Amino acid sequence: MSARGCALLGVMPLLLSAASGFRLCPSTCLCYESSDLVDCRSRGLDRVPSSVPHSSWLLDLSANKLTEVRTRSFIGLWSLKILMMSNNSIHVVQPQSLSSLQFLERLDLSFNRLRWLPQDFSRSLSSLQELRLDHNLLQHIDSTALQDSDNLRKLDLSYNRIQAIDVKAFNSLSRLSLLNLEGNRLNVLRDGVLSRQQSLEVLLLSHNNISAIESEALSPLRSLTVLGLQGNKLTHIRFKTFLKLQTTRTHLQMSLNPWTCDCELQRVFGKIQHVRHLHTEDYKDIICHSPAQQAGGSLASLDSQLCLMETASVLVITITVMLAVIGALVKAERNRKNKQLQSDAESQDKKNEGY
Ligand SMILES: *[C@@H]1O[C@H](CO)[C@@H](O)[C@H](O)[C@H]1NC(C)=O
Ligand SMILES: *[C@@H]1O[C@H](CO)[C@@H](O)[C@H](O)[C@H]1NC(C)=O
């Protein structure tokens, strides 16, 4: 054997171990496609395994016992594109714990116990396109937590306890096409919160506590096709607020609200039905909550009755006022005539006296 051959042989084990080290699979997990896909679902793990290969692009840690996402947990996993951690008991995402994941495209943290997000949550997540945070305990979305994820297309914040969203919270998310806020505790849809969401196609706000939509809240939305507002606390809406949606076709979902069925509401929905780009999908299911005599009936079944009643009462009032005026005029005229007669009689009397 030549000296060169010997040298090669000597290096071989080193090369081999380096190559296989690259492909190691954490002992508790299953790996596929030369460890590109690492499946650690339901293994009772309470921490992220340390030996996940650097080349992996999918890591599934769902249904384990993680309680924290710790700083440096994912250090070195620079190929990771999909990270799933749903159905754990995560209550803290420590600062910078995700900061090595520059190429991450999908992050699933649903079904955990998060109450808040760290300010730098999205610091390095600039490739992120889909973020699931549904079924947590979040109460507030502040202005910085999502500010670096400007590629985000889908954001799921449903079934949390969100009461307030900072007006700047979604400012960087100009590519967002789906925003799910169902099942939270929002009271008002505020002006400015959606000011950069020109690409938003689906906005789900069902099952909140929304009783007011501020007049400019919907005006920035140019691509919206679905607006879900079922199961809120709306009693009235303003036509102008919805008219500001400059879209080609938006489907509105408005049932399960405590509507006050009066002529005004009937007019608003009547106008919405006549605007080509707006369509109330569940108009037949808009049920009146008040006034008492309409409660339980659908707005559609009342037809134009409400406005007829209103017109009738306006008519009655007008006629009453007119009659009163006419009565007063007649009375005044009669008084004038009486006075005239009286003074005529008096002057006649004076004449007679003069004789
Ligand atoms: C997570 O839990 C929910 C509710 O318990 C269940 O519907 C879902 O299938 C679970 N997902 C995973 C990935 O285990
Ligand atoms: C829901 O909104 C009403 C006002 O419409 C308010 O009084 C109530 O406190 C709100 N509930 C929650 C849980 O925020």
Side-chain angles (χ1 to χ4, degrees):
M1 199 181 279
S2 71
R4 208 166 164 205
C6 268
L8 245 182
L9 268 184
V11 172
M12 206 68 128
L14 252 180
L15 277 176
L16 268 177
S17 77
S20 59
F22 217 68
R23 299 264 145 109
L24 257 183
C25 186
S27 54
T28 45
C29 307
L30 293 171
C31 296
Y32 304 94
E33 306 282 332
S34 337
S35 300
D36 280 356
L37 317 180
V38 181
D39 173 5
C40 310
R41 275 176 298 177
S42 310
R43 302 293 149 119
L45 299 173
D46 60 4
R47 58 183 57 219
V48 179
S50 55
S51 52
V52 178
H54 296 322
S55 60
S56 306
W57 60 265
L58 181 149
L59 175 57
D60 191 347
L61 291 162
S62 309
N64 280 293
K65 294 180 176 162
L66 304 179
T67 55
E68 291 183 343
V69 181
R70 299 208 180 120
T71 310
R72 305 183 69 84
S73 288
F74 301 107
I75 213 90
L77 299 184
W78 50 72
S79 304
L80 218 51
K81 289 193 172 160
I82 302 177
L83 175 56
M84 285 135 99
M85 291 187 281
S86 70
N87 297 48
N88 279 277
S89 307
I90 298 168
H91 58 90
V92 182
V93 176
Q94 285 183 352
Q96 291 177 34
S97 53
L98 303 169
S99 63
S100 56
L101 304 174
Q102 285 154 35
F103 300 106
L104 199 66
E105 290 171 9
R106 280 174 56 192
L107 175 58
D108 187 349
L109 279 163
S110 60
F111 294 95
N112 276 291
R113 311 196 59 78
L114 292 169
R115 286 175 192 279
W116 49 275
L117 298 174
Q119 287 204 343
D120 71 344
F121 178 77
S122 66
R123 168 125 348 129
S124 301
L125 301 178
S126 55
S127 306
L128 202 62
Q129 294 182 20
E130 192 177 330
L131 175 57
R132 285 192 57 181
L133 286 163
D134 52 290
H135 296 92
N136 275 278
L137 305 168
L138 297 173
Q139 293 177 5
H140 181 253
I141 305 297
D142 76 21
S143 60
T144 56
L146 299 170
Q147 71 180 352
D148 296 307
S149 290
D150 49 8
N151 268 308
L152 211 57
R153 313 292 153 104
K154 294 184 184 173
L155 176 57
D156 192 345
L157 289 165
S158 61
Y159 299 95
N160 277 279
R161 298 178 178 177
I162 301 168
Q163 231 170 359
I165 299 173
D166 195 289
V167 75
K168 291 183 177 152
F170 302 145
N171 258 7
S172 316
L173 312 182
S174 61
R175 298 200 168 103
L176 207 59
S177 71
L178 183 144
L179 177 56
N180 191 349
L181 282 160
E182 272 176 26
N184 278 288
R185 297 181 180 174
L186 297 171
N187 295 315
V188 187
L189 187 56
R190 297 225 177 272
D191 284 350
V193 171
L194 301 170
S195 63
R196 303 285 165 83
Q197 273 64 54
Q198 277 79 16
S199 306
L200 195 63
E201 290 170 22
V202 179
L203 175 58
L204 303 177
L205 291 163
S206 315
H207 305 291
N208 274 275
N209 191 41
I210 297 172
S211 58
I213 302 171
E214 290 189 352
S215 64
E216 298 296 329
L218 302 174
S219 62
L221 307 174
R222 299 288 151 94
S223 314
L224 202 67
T225 59
V226 177
L227 173 55
L229 280 164
Q230 309 104 310
N232 277 288
K233 293 280 154 60
L234 296 168
T235 58
H236 274 106
I237 45 169
R238 269 168 309 194
F239 177 57
K240 273 189 189 164
T241 310
F242 287 82
L243 193 62
K244 282 177 186 155
L245 275 170
Q246 295 182 10
T247 56
T248 44
R249 185 97 170 138
T250 305
H251 294 260
L252 309 174
Q253 302 166 342
M254 312 290 271
S255 56
L256 303 173
N257 278 285
W259 297 109
T260 298
C261 290
D262 53 14
C263 176
E264 177 65 24
L265 191 73
Q266 199 158 52
R267 285 212 175 110
V268 171
F269 276 104
K271 285 188 216 166
I272 287 178
Q273 300 296 71
H274 282 102
V275 176
R276 198 172 335 135
H277 70 275
L278 297 178
H279 173 68
T280 311
E281 232 172 52
D282 50 0
Y283 181 62
K284 293 222 155 47
D285 299 324
I286 292 189
I287 306 296
C288 308
H289 179 76
S290 63
Q293 67 265 35
Q294 318 290 5
S298 77
L299 186 65
S301 74
L302 293 172
D303 227 342
S304 51
Q305 220 170 310
L306 294 171
C307 290
L308 267 181
M309 270 159 59
E310 192 150 299
T311 313
S313 54
V314 167
L315 222 62
V316 166
I317 291 169
T318 314
I319 290 172
T320 313
V321 168
M322 272 169 67
L323 286 178
V325 168
I326 290 171
L329 283 175
V330 166
K331 202 173 170 194
E333 179 64 10
R334 200 182 292 148
N335 282 346
R336 199 181 60 80
K337 276 196 180 146
N338 281 346
K339 271 195 188 135
Q340 182 77 45
L341 279 176
Q342 219 168 351
S343 66
D344 282 358
E346 269 167 18
S347 58
Q348 194 66 42
D349 281 353
K350 274 189 190 142
K351 261 191 202 162
N352 289 347
E353 271 167 24
Y355 281 106

